Amino acid sequence: ASARGAEALRAGVATADDPQHMPGNPVHFPKVGQVREMAHGETIALGRITLTAQLTPGHTPGAITWTWENCERGQQRCVQFVYADSLNPVSAPGFRFSDDAARVREFESSIARLHALPCDALIPLHPSFEGSRGSASEFMGRGKCEAYAARVESRWRQRLRDEEASGESTTR
């Protein structure tokens, strides 16, 4: 997990700055005693596959997108996989992303990072947000990550417009 993700896993509850954290009614989950913290660009090997951590905070402060390359024997080329953690700007009621300029920059940096990743196959955390009908072929092919990043950015921009239109600051 990222350092921020590890903090939540060890505590067994989302951190107070998590957009989905609900003060007074936090969601608890089993604590994880041993968590390996991963830095951006750090790798971990699982058999023949090496996963690379791409820190993509936004939806949660500890979000990680994972990338890897699969080169099957006899294949003409390798396939670049991206497991994209959620960058959908959902939150608990009353939370405003726009109340924290650093968080806005961080979220936008994560979208840009996702957009720039080499990607032949996208595995989104929430396929239903992407209109998936359950077919793996929907996420195969060049341009899938860029299209996903564009959809995420559109939802992000709409969220910021909605927050601006509401005019009220509710910093927690």
Side-chain angles (χ1 to χ4, degrees), residues 94-163:
F95 183 88
R96 291 173 48 93
F97 289 93
S98 59
D99 286 349
D100 184 342
R103 182 184 297 273
V104 169
R105 286 190 303 275
E106 187 175 68
F107 205 115
E108 292 175 352
S109 176
S110 294
I111 293 169
R113 177 169 287 141
L114 180 63
H115 191 276
L117 289 174
C119 175
D120 299 310
L122 169 67
I123 304 169
L125 177 62
H126 300 295
S128 61
F129 278 170
E130 301 312 309
S132 173
R133 295 174 304 282
S135 167
S137 64
E138 294 175 73
F139 300 107
M140 295 294 293
R142 297 230 180 244
K144 298 297 183 178
C145 287
E146 294 91 339
Y148 174 70
R151 288 189 301 274
V152 165
E153 184 171 22
S154 177
R155 289 190 287 266
W156 170 244
R157 296 282 169 229
Q158 185 60 54
R159 173 66 187 248
L160 293 178
R161 284 191 296 274
D162 291 348
E163 288 183 10

Side-chain angles (χ1 to χ4, degrees), residues 30-59:
K31 294 179 182 180
V32 179
Q34 292 185 348
V35 181
R36 178 176 170 189
E37 293 186 20
M38 303 289 291
H40 179 73
E42 190 173 350
T43 62
I44 186 168
L46 297 172
R48 294 183 309 114
I49 302 291
T50 299
L51 301 169
T52 302
Q54 310 284 341
L55 300 186
T56 51
H59 177 66

Side-chain angles (χ1 to χ4, degrees), residues 22-96:
M22 296 178 56
N25 190 23
V27 176
H28 292 271
F29 45 85
K31 294 179 182 180
V32 179
Q34 292 185 348
V35 181
R36 178 176 170 189
E37 293 186 20
M38 303 289 291
H40 179 73
E42 190 173 350
T43 62
I44 186 168
L46 297 172
R48 294 183 309 114
I49 302 291
T50 299
L51 301 169
T52 302
Q54 310 284 341
L55 300 186
T56 51
H59 177 66
T60 64
I64 296 181
T65 289
W66 295 95
T67 60
W68 67 96
E69 179 178 75
N70 186 20
C71 302
E72 294 293 328
R73 290 184 189 142
Q75 231 179 355
Q76 293 287 330
R77 70 178 184 92
C78 297
V79 176
Q80 304 293 324
F81 283 87
V82 174
Y83 165 81
D85 203 341
S86 180
L87 280 172
N88 289 296
V90 298
S91 67
F95 183 88
R96 291 173 48 93

